Amino acid sequence: GSGSRKLPDPRYLAQTRIRPSTEYFEQAWDTAKRVLPPTSPVMPIQIPSVYDKTLTPGGKHVMSIWALYAPVTLRDGSWDISRQRVGEAMIDRIGEYAPNIRDAIIDWELFTPQDLEERVYLTDENIRQLDITPQDNFSGARRDAVRLSHSGGGLYLCDAGTPPGGEVTGAPDHNAAHSVLKNWEMA
């Protein structure tokens, strides 16, 4: 066109991730396996106030980070002792990509795995109740759960731990609803 450069839509920043490499993922996972607090976690970051301006006063934003990976209990010490250090390390890591982040933060809070269990009943901080891995999806127990949820025997599973996986995909709900309708038509 005219030679002027169009700036990207700022809403693209409403969700981003800090995960610069496969090695970074591996390091984050290895730290958790050693039962140590995360120093450089994989960080899916959401800024919902980019879309919904009613969440914050004018010109301000709210940011949420789901840090991957963290052990439920720590090898040495406790989450209460490590909370501040872990939160500061996460802010430092974000600062590598957004240098003015510290100046922009008004307040922050870190919810530890223990906090998540106490506040929203996430056992072992697992939002899916159990890990959804390829091995688990094809295990006997998982196949039995899927078979039960589609059997017409009155049990229809649609929680976050039901294959093909939860969160907000809606896939378990979709599958359970179609099984209900199919079994209803057959009745």
Side-chain angles (χ1 to χ4, degrees):
S2 64
S4 66
R5 188 174 150 182
K6 184 178 178 182
L7 294 174
D9 187 328
R11 292 177 296 174
Y12 291 141
L13 298 176
Q15 183 167 333
T16 190
R17 294 184 187 340
I18 294 181
R19 56 176 186 191
S21 66
T22 302
E23 292 78 21
Y24 187 92
F25 259 98
E26 289 172 353
Q27 178 271 324
W29 179 243
D30 287 342
T31 300
K33 284 192 307 190
R34 291 193 323 265
V35 200
L36 299 171
T39 54
S40 297
V42 173
M43 290 187 274
I45 301 171
Q46 297 176 348
I47 308 172
S49 51
V50 169
Y51 284 101
D52 185 349
K53 307 272 188 246
T54 67
L55 293 174
T56 56
K60 306 266 190 265
H61 289 283
V62 63
M63 181 168 62
S64 172
I65 301 168
W66 188 267
L68 305 173
Y69 303 92
V72 174
T73 56
L74 299 175
R75 181 173 67 194
D76 301 314
S78 70
W79 275 108
D80 287 336
I81 293 168
S82 300
R83 179 188 315 272
Q84 186 74 24
R85 182 172 33 95
V86 170
E88 295 289 344
M90 289 172 63
I91 294 168
D92 288 342
R93 179 60 67 181
I94 294 168
E96 294 175 19
Y97 300 89
N100 66 340
I101 190 72
R102 277 216 182 265
D103 295 334
I105 294 174
I106 294 170
D107 195 11
W108 63 270
E109 186 174 6
L110 176 72
F111 295 140
T112 69
Q114 292 170 335
D115 294 327
L116 294 174
E117 186 161 330
E118 290 169 12
R119 292 174 186 216
V120 292
Y121 307 106
L122 290 181
T123 304
D124 292 338
E125 81 166 313
N126 196 325
I127 62 173
R128 296 172 196 90
Q129 293 90 47
L130 56 118
D131 292 328
I132 295 183
T133 64
Q135 303 91 306
D136 290 334
N137 272 330
F138 298 107
S139 74
R142 187 67 79 139
R143 281 194 312 272
D144 291 344
V146 172
R147 193 169 24 261
L148 276 172
S149 69
H150 300 285
S151 69
L155 175 64
Y156 298 92
L157 302 176
C158 58
D159 69 350
T162 303
E167 296 189 31
V168 293
T169 66
D173 309 300
H174 172 273
N175 294 343
H178 280 277
S179 292
V180 167
L181 291 173
K182 178 179 157 193
N183 292 327
W184 188 345
E185 290 171 359
M186 294 171 45

